[in-house]
Amino acid sequence: MYAPTSTNSPRSGPTSGESSDGLTDFDGAGEILRAWGSGLRPDPDLTVSEWADRHRMLSGRASAEPGRYRTVRTPYMREIMDRLSPGDPTQRIVFMKAAQVGATEAGNNWIGFAIHQAPGPMLAVQPTVELAKRNSRQRIDPLIDESPELRERVKPARSRDAGNTMLSKEFAGGILIMTGANSAVGLRSTPARYIFLDEVDAYPASADEEGDPVTLAEARSLTFAHRRKVFLVSTPTIRGLSRIEREYEASDQRRFHVPCPHCGAMQWLKFDRLRWQKGRPETAEYHCEGCDAAIAEHHKTAMLEGGEWRATATAADPTTVGYHLSALYSPIGWLSWERIVRAWDAAQGSDEAIKAFRNTILGETWVETGEAPDWQRLYDRRERWTSGTVPAGGLFLTAGADVQKDRIEVDVWAWGRGLESWLVDHVVIEGGPDRHDSWSELTALLDRSWPHERGAHLRIARLAIDTGYEAPAVYSWARAQGFGQVSPVKGVEGFNRSSPVSGPTFVDSTEGGKRLRRGARLWTVAVSTFKAETYRFLRLARPTEEEMADGAAFPPGSVHLPHWVENEWLKQFVAEQLVTVRTKRGFARLEWQKLRERNEALDCRVYARAAAWIAGADRWPESTWRDLEDQLGAAPTDTDPAGQINRPGQAPQGKRRSDWLGRRGGWF
């Protein structure tokens, strides 16, 4: 090692008691020396949360509470952020959480900290490239613009040097690359010491068919060994398919324990301890596990300040820590317990709404129950009503058609409030799609009406027909009937769909294969979702005869099967089983598998259910259901021979009369 040999080494300025050599005998020399000495002083050794409290400013463009960031507002985020600090040995931080608890802002604090305090290559991944661009505009640009320490380190966006673009931010000692999980090129573009994986449950199963996006992204950090940091954040989705749940369960599974303001008992908050008077969400209070005393929400601020994270399991990898947090911890002024209760009450009767509640408010996965009910139990539960008649509770009809090589099978279902349903008719049209008479018979079915128990006659409001076999012939027939009553559908597997039905999209095809500029309107149906819903409905407990005599009603979603339905149809109705399978890469996914070869009854039910969704039944307000009931209250003399209801009542609110009646004089 080099060491100075001269005892007369030069000095930067005179020391106390020594005469000046003249180098600093000018105005301002003292300020220069002080500034120079300050520059030699190392930056303070801050954690991510300390950096955020000192340097982070929230913009009005990206925050409901603009101004200086305060970790004390969300105390549960302090430990999570500090685990991302270079001084902490943790390499992977997993956060399974409810929506809107401050997780994304914590990740942005980490980005700002890395740019300012510990520069290095960073990769930030959103579910899609488009979302990455939106996040860059709405969150990353304000993060940089509102913090002077970051503004002076990141190149201006309009400089000739293209270091600051929509998806790339260069700074001294590092670069921030933003991309989508659907882009394999973006995921393997550069090595990265820091990796921020946001909303991983919304990632596609494979990035451009090159493999799991999380695995591809994490591979970018392996060369940094113990210095790497990976932050995985997401609201969970479905049990068995959720990436964030899988990662959390492999971690030490930390829960945020808070003290009871009455007895001091430490506990993590659970939804079943939140209690309120029926119909009065404003009375919501949390009941302590220790003393069972009621805790008012105004105590939450002090409880959060006194809270701490505690591990509840042993991690498979000691360098990984995992955290779970529900919206019950949301700070005062964000999501209140009263609003949580209102959301829970509003979700009752809708599986999709309850699923969203569990995912976004409780931060828990949704369990799909796909065990096939026993067909003999369904046989014993068949009900007797006048054959060919729509029961009193049925308010409109839809049909599902399954096209086979030698026949077309159609099931007609009646739907009531809460999606209670009745099988009204089962029709088999002999001959495949290459037989002209088959289509003529299907057309005649659209003109047919079914008598209602109250005296009216109902037509099929909407028929959904599968395009999986001989799609051009289906498109041609549907186009001829008009898309107000007929909806061609295509079934897709998987539960990670934002909506059970999407579309329509235009399909440019005719029966002869000629391309059209605007062809048939095709709807995409998440058949997995509707199959799981059907099986859940079949398991609903039914009131006993004594309970019905006392006025008890069937629960929403109940499925009513008529006495005339045959064994073969029942076997087809429960012909599939939802199972968990493992991919070649070891990931779990849910898959419907046939227990029997024929499953037309289940498929037709799914298509008829999709038709009800397309008609809007899942989104109708109370006024629409009342109008349906009012119109069906007409006496038999109030219907004309065509089956159209002619009483003086108005169409449902928000619909024109022409939309309501449709071109054939039936409903819709």
Side-chain angles (χ1 to χ4, degrees):
M1 179 181 294
Y2 172 79
T5 57
S6 172
T7 59
N8 298 317
S9 58
R11 295 172 179 163
S12 58
T15 59
S16 178
E18 296 183 80
S19 62
S20 169
D21 56 8
L23 295 178
T24 58
D25 293 339
F26 59 89
D27 292 341
E31 287 77 3
I32 293 175
L33 290 174
R34 280 193 295 273
W36 181 71
S38 177
L40 292 178
R41 187 181 305 116
D43 289 332
D45 187 14
L46 302 176
T47 64
V48 173
S49 67
E50 291 170 342
W51 180 90
D53 287 336
R54 182 175 298 189
H55 298 290
R56 178 77 194 278
M57 296 295 294
L58 297 173
S59 167
R61 288 187 292 162
S63 174
E65 298 181 358
R68 184 167 297 281
Y69 182 91
R70 296 178 298 134
T71 304
V72 70
R73 190 80 171 97
T74 53
Y76 47 77
M77 294 305 309
R78 186 182 305 277
E79 179 179 322
I80 296 175
M81 287 192 287
D82 290 349
R83 291 286 184 177
L84 296 166
S85 306
D88 192 283
T90 306
Q91 295 180 25
R92 299 175 79 250
I93 298 88
V94 177
F95 190 20
M96 183 171 75
K97 49 82 179 181
Q100 303 301 317
V101 294
T104 299
E105 288 303 334
N108 291 338
N109 290 340
W110 180 38
I111 292 175
F113 171 88
I115 294 173
H116 185 199
Q117 297 280 306
M122 172 176 276
L123 179 64
V125 184
Q126 294 289 325
T128 66
V129 173
E130 285 303 314
L131 286 175
K133 292 178 179 178
R134 185 189 306 173
N135 184 71
S136 177
R137 290 191 300 267
Q138 296 181 352
R139 292 184 180 271
I140 302 303
D141 285 348
L143 164 71
I144 296 170
D145 293 343
E146 299 296 329
S147 301
E149 291 79 12
L150 303 183
R151 267 202 320 270
E152 66 184 23
R153 285 167 170 78
V154 179
K155 296 182 178 181
R158 292 188 176 90
S159 66
R160 285 184 174 272
D161 187 349
N164 185 344
T165 64
M166 179 76 73
L167 297 177
S168 175
K169 309 291 183 184
E170 286 187 13
F171 48 90
I175 184 173
L176 169 63
I177 299 293
M178 291 164 281
T179 188
N182 59 341
S183 171
V185 173
L187 294 176
R188 51 180 169 79
S189 60
T190 182
R193 178 183 176 184
Y194 308 119
I195 298 180
F196 180 19
L197 303 174
D198 199 11
E199 292 300 337
V200 297
D201 270 19
Y203 289 4
S206 180
D208 293 334
E209 305 301 325
E210 293 192 20
D212 175 54
V214 173
T215 303
L216 292 176
E218 286 204 54
R220 301 294 91 206
S221 68
L222 296 180
T223 56
F224 289 90
H226 66 279
R227 295 187 299 135
R228 72 173 185 147
K229 294 283 184 180
V230 180
F231 189 27
L232 299 97
V233 182
S234 188
T235 300
T237 50
I238 297 174
R239 176 75 55 83
L241 299 180
S242 172
R243 285 188 176 94
I244 199 69
E245 183 188 51
R246 182 172 63 245
E247 296 288 354
Y248 176 74
E249 290 183 345
S251 72
D252 55 2
Q253 302 180 31
R254 299 183 179 222
R255 303 273 192 173
F256 197 66
H257 288 67
V258 294
C260 170
H262 305 299
C263 68
M266 298 294 287
Q267 59 204 288
W268 62 274
L269 303 183
K270 306 175 181 67
F271 180 62
D272 58 9
R273 304 293 303 180
L274 193 64
R275 298 169 188 168
W276 63 95
Q277 297 176 23
K278 186 175 181 179
R280 298 186 60 195
E282 67 276 7
T283 64
E285 295 176 319
Y286 193 88
H287 284 250
C288 172
E289 290 183 4
C291 63
D292 202 40
I295 303 173
E297 188 159 19
H298 66 79
H299 291 294
K300 190 192 293 186
T301 300
M303 294 168 67
L304 292 179
E305 291 175 353
E308 62 182 36
W309 288 101
R310 294 182 179 179
T312 62
T314 301
D317 176 8
T319 64
T320 298
V321 294
Y323 301 88
H324 175 268
L325 196 79
S326 75
L328 293 172
Y329 294 89
S330 187
I332 299 294
W334 288 14
L335 184 62
S336 66
W337 289 343
E338 176 185 344
R339 288 176 58 195
I340 290 175
V341 170
R342 291 187 185 278
W344 172 253
D345 287 343
Q348 300 311 299
S350 170
D351 288 324
E352 286 300 314
I354 294 177
K355 174 183 176 181
F357 181 88
R358 294 190 66 88
N359 291 165
T360 62
I361 294 182
L362 300 186
E364 298 174 354
T365 51
W366 170 257
V367 180
E368 293 286 358
T369 54
E371 182 182 351
D374 181 17
W375 72 269
Q376 291 181 326
R377 182 168 64 88
L378 299 182
Y379 181 89
D380 295 336
R381 275 186 9 187
R382 294 179 307 165
E383 302 172 37
R384 185 171 294 275
W385 65 80
T386 304
S387 181
T389 300
V390 181
L395 301 179
F396 70 101
L397 303 181
T398 67
D402 187 19
V403 180
Q404 300 288 327
K405 182 179 180 180
D406 58 350
R407 68 194 183 283
I408 301 175
E409 298 213 11
V410 185
D411 282 339
V412 181
W413 287 85
W415 302 89
R417 285 179 176 270
L419 294 177
E420 191 172 358
S421 60
W422 295 260
L423 178 64
V424 173
D425 208 345
H426 171 63
V427 179
V428 179
I429 300 174
E430 298 296 341
D434 57 345
R435 179 173 171 265
H436 184 270
D437 289 347
S438 299
W439 297 112
S440 297
E441 292 181 40
L442 188 58
T443 301
L445 194 66
L446 295 176
D447 285 320
R448 179 180 166 185
S449 64
W450 284 260
H452 193 276
E453 187 174 309
R454 296 180 181 177
H457 282 72
L458 300 186
R459 296 182 182 280
I460 294 173
R462 188 170 290 268
L463 179 144
I465 182 168
D466 180 37
T467 61
Y469 183 77
E470 289 290 344
V474 176
Y475 297 151
S476 178
W477 176 80
R479 193 182 300 110
Q481 308 314 308
F483 301 111
Q485 191 179 16
V486 175
S487 298
V489 296
K490 176 185 178 181
V492 292
E493 298 293 339
F495 291 94
N496 56 339
R497 302 262 168 187
S498 59
S499 173
V501 182
S502 58
T505 57
F506 290 99
V507 182
D508 299 329
S509 176
T510 67
E511 189 171 4
K514 181 181 178 181
R515 297 186 64 82
L516 296 177
R517 186 169 176 269
R518 290 172 71 85
R521 301 174 186 179
L522 179 66
W523 296 81
T524 300
V525 178
V527 295
S528 296
T529 299
F530 284 146
K531 288 176 182 177
E533 178 193 78
T534 297
Y535 280 10
R536 285 196 298 272
F537 286 170
L538 289 173
R539 287 193 189 82
L540 291 174
R542 299 184 167 217
T544 63
E545 292 184 3
E546 293 78 9
E547 290 172 336
M548 284 191 288
D550 293 335
F554 283 88
S558 294
V559 179
H560 302 270
L561 302 176
H563 66 280
W564 50 261
V565 72
E566 299 177 350
N567 294 357
E568 175 59 28
W569 188 95
L570 290 170
K571 291 177 181 179
Q572 293 178 20
F573 197 45
V574 292
E576 296 189 25
Q577 170 82 43
L578 186 64
V579 298
T580 301
V581 297
R582 294 281 175 181
T583 65
K584 293 181 180 179
R585 296 178 179 271
F587 297 112
R589 63 183 177 86
L590 295 174
E591 180 181 284
W592 286 96
Q593 294 183 355
K594 286 186 178 181
L595 299 174
R596 301 174 181 86
E597 182 59 30
R598 295 188 58 182
N599 66 340
E600 295 92 320
L602 180 58
D603 285 345
C604 286
R605 161 72 185 202
V606 167
Y607 304 145
R609 173 67 179 91
W613 194 98
I614 295 170
D618 293 70
R619 303 170 297 283
W620 283 342
E622 169 65 21
S623 59
T624 301
W625 292 105
R626 283 200 305 268
D627 284 333
L628 282 171
E629 291 170 333
D630 289 345
Q631 292 209 12
L632 284 173
T637 55
D638 290 332
T639 61
D640 67 10
Q644 176 176 318
I645 297 177
N646 294 322
R647 62 194 300 266
Q650 296 297 313
Q653 186 176 355
K655 289 182 177 286
R656 296 174 301 173
R657 184 71 175 172
S658 58
D659 293 337
W660 182 241
L661 296 177
R663 71 175 185 87
R664 296 180 181 274
W667 286 17
F668 300 89

